[in-house]
Amino acid sequence: MNEPNYWLMKSEPDAYSIDNLKNEGVTLWDGIRNYQARNFMRKMIRGDKVFFYHSNCKPPGIVGLMEVIDLNIVDPTQFDKDSKYFDPKSKPENPRWDCVKMRYLYKSNKILSLPELKILFNEEDLLVVKKGNRLSIVPVQNHVAKILLEKI
DNA sequence: GCCAACGTTGGC
DNA sequence: GCCAACGTTGGC
C-alpha cells in the first residue's frame, strides 16, 4: 500500500467552498484551464489527500481536507457552450482538459490563514505562500503535509 | 483599486 | 523562435 501524496487545491469560496463540498460529499474538480495545474492533476492517484484552500477571500487559507477518488475524467465544461469554461479549441476526439473527482473528508474549525502559513513555511516547502503564485493546484511535500494535518 | 507574477497570443 | 502586448490570478 502506497502512502498518499498530498496536494493543495484553491477555490474561491464564492464559486465553490468547503461547505459546498461538505453538503455534496463528492464533486468533480472541473474548470481547470492551466496546463501546469492540469498536469499536476494527471499525477494524482486514488487516495491522495488534498488540502482545500479558499482564495480571494478574507482571510485566504486552508479550510479542510478532501480525497481524490477518481482520475482522468474528461472535463465536460470544455464542450459546454454555456459554461464559462467552454474551450472552442478543444475537440471531443481530442479533449484538452480533464479533471479529478474529490470526496469530502474534513472541515477545520478554524481557517489556517495565509499569514499563518507564511510563518510556518517558506516558498520551497509550500508553493502557495509564494508571492504572486497563481497555480490553483500545487503539490505539498510530505513533511509539510504532516505539519498541516496537525494544524487543521 | 493596485500591482506583481506569470501564462497566452500573435506579429514578425 | 522571439518578444511585446495583453489577460488573469489573487494578495494586499
Side-chain angles (χ1 to χ4, degrees), chain A residues 15-124:
Chain A
Y16 194 83
S17 72
I18 186 77
D19 288 320
N20 294 132
L21 179 62
K22 188 177 181 182
N23 290 335
E24 292 176 21
V26 167
T27 194
L28 209 55
W29 207 267
D30 55 15
I32 299 298
R33 295 294 178 271
N34 171 289
Y35 289 106
Q36 235 180 311
R38 183 202 65 180
N39 293 342
F40 280 135
M41 277 200 293
R42 290 182 174 179
K43 289 184 175 176
M44 292 178 181
I45 57 171
R46 283 195 186 86
D48 279 0
K49 301 289 188 290
V50 181
F51 296 98
F52 196 131
Y53 179 95
H54 278 179
S55 66
N56 213 353
C57 59
K58 285 186 272 185
I62 293 173
V63 292
L65 196 66
M66 51 190 173
E67 180 187 14
V68 178
I69 57 168
D70 214 349
L71 310 163
N72 302 318
I73 302 160
V74 173
D75 184 338
T77 62
Q78 66 195 306
F79 305 124
D80 178 1
K81 285 202 170 78
D82 296 326
S83 169
K84 63 181 279 201
Y85 300 116
F86 176 67
D87 182 354
K89 293 180 189 165
S90 185
K91 300 295 163 215
E93 62 272 18
N94 186 21
R96 181 176 298 197
W97 306 109
D98 41 65
C99 55
V100 291
K101 192 179 277 184
M102 311 298 303
R103 177 168 72 91
Y104 170 81
L105 288 182
Y106 172 74
K107 179 189 174 182
S108 338
N109 297 319
K110 185 188 151 298
I111 187 167
L112 182 53
S113 71
L114 183 58
E116 291 173 286
L117 292 171
K118 284 181 172 170
I119 291 166
L120 288 167
F121 306 105
N122 59 36
E123 292 179 6
E124 298 99 81

